[in-house]
């Protein structure tokens, strides 16, 4: 794999930002910027060897700086929601940014998607990787502890986009890092993902209230439109007469993975019969948010090449701790103890149908 670097632009406050091109020898190329850790483009061959960009994104850095739908970005300190924008840890009540009504979403008003990261190209056992680091100061977004975060991106010769997450805090805190790429396996400018087929290796999901805060229940998917254990097209049940789906105008939920953190077991798969592209997801995280881009039209999103993204133009598979874990004792804990290491890996593996 090779990595090259070029200047991307200056942020509004004049900080220079770069863009890194990661390439393997099989035709996969990713462009990643150290602004927000954003995956700006991901070029992947289809069944005929035609290479196309399969992630939604913007042309200009300035568009990533604006409030938006988190296209391609690194998300933290806590991905997804924290109910009431507050949680208790070690008997202390912490108030975090209430940037979505009364609740906290994706790290607050200025999450990890809106900051400039330090970038370095490193050698990981003979493979080059892009390492982004950022110090999230105590109190940023409302969180306790200074948190040193490292996200490492690489593209392997097995056609995997691999993202390794690492963090250490000097005080007990909560951490939940993910990537918010919107995939459209036919190409970012090809229409919607309703015909994509999805498999989620999950027998349960976490139902939510109207504000998308989990109720705490782990519900069986069996016999409901939330069942993706057998691959099915997104469109089959996206408008099903099922309160959970109607609340969120499509899929926007956390599934409880059966994989128990095992990176070798498939967590999710997406198949696009049009292009023949297949994406498998592997992760050490306990959950995955399938978000089918239900709110992309809330504000017009003019994407790369001037293409306007509509609702369902892309889908996200955000590997994560369950939403609102800091307030749910029965969910896997997202607490990171002072001095301990937070370590997670997610792999998106590409192939074509034969
Ligand atoms: C959430 C959606 C939200 C989106 C923001 C997703 O992770 O689950 O509810 O609208 O991020 O673009």
């Amino acid at each position: 794999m090779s990595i090259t670097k070029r200047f991307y632009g200056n942020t509004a406050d004049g900080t220079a930002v770069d863009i890194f091109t990661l390439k393997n020898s099989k035709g996969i190329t990713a462009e990643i910027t150290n602004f927000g850790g954003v995956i700006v483009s991901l070029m992947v061959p289809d069944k005929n060897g035609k290479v196309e960009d399969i992630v939604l994104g913007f042309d200009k850095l300035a568009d990533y700086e604006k409030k938006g739908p988190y296209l391609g970005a690194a998300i933290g300190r806590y991905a997804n929601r924290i109910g009431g924008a507050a949680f208790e840890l070690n008997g202390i009540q912490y108030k975090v940014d209430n940037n979505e009504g009364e609740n906290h979403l994706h790290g607050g008003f200025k999450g990890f998607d809106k900051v400039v990261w330090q970038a370095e190209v490193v050698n990981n056992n003979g493979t080059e990787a892009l390492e982004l680091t950022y110090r999230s100061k105590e109190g940023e977004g409302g969180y306790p502890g200074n948190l040193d975060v490292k996200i490492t991106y690489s593209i392997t010769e097995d056609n995997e986009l691999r993202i390794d997450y690492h963090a250490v805090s000097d005080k007990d805190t909560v951490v939940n890092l993910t990537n918010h790429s919107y995939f459209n396996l036919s190409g970012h400018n090809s229409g919607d993902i309703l015909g994509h087929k999805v498999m989620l290796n999950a027998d349960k999901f976490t139902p939510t209230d109207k504000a998308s805060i989990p109720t705490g229940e782990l519900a069986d998917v069996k016999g409901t439109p939330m069942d993706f254990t057998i691959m099915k097209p997104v469109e089959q049940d996206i408008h099903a007469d099922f309160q959970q789906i109607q609340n969120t105008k499509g899929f926007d939920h956390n599934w409880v993975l059966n994989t128990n953190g095992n990176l070798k077991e498939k967590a999710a798969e997406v198949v696009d019969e049009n292009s023949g592209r297949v994406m498998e997801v592997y992760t050490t995280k306990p959950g995955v948010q399938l978000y089918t881009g239900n709110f992309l039209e809330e504000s017009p999103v003019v994407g790369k090449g001037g293409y306007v993204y509509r609702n369902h133009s892309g889908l996200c598979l955000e590997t994560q701790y369950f939403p609102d874990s800091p307030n749910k004792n029965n969910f896997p804990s997202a607490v990171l103890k002072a001095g301990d290491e937070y370590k997670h890996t997610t792999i998106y593996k590409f192939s074509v149908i034969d």
Side-chain angles (χ1 to χ4, degrees), residues 58-70:
F58 295 117
D59 282 327
K60 290 197 205 76
L61 173 61
D63 290 326
Y64 287 108
E65 289 193 84
K66 290 184 206 146
K67 186 174 160 29
Y70 305 89

Side-chain angles (χ1 to χ4, degrees), residues 68-70 80-81 100 105-106 180 182 252 289 291 295 318:
Y70 305 89
N80 214 297
R81 294 174 176 83
E100 193 189 55
L105 175 69
H106 293 333
H180 210 292
Y182 291 72
D252 188 6
Q289 186 91 3
Y291 171 52
F295 310 110
E318 302 153 65

Side-chain angles (χ1 to χ4, degrees), residues 34-55:
N34 61 320
F35 181 82
V38 172
I39 300 172
V40 174
S41 71
L42 182 59
M43 307 295 292
V44 177
D46 72 0
K47 60 184 173 202
N48 302 313
K50 188 174 172 219
V51 173
E52 271 160 325
D53 185 358
I54 60 152
V55 291

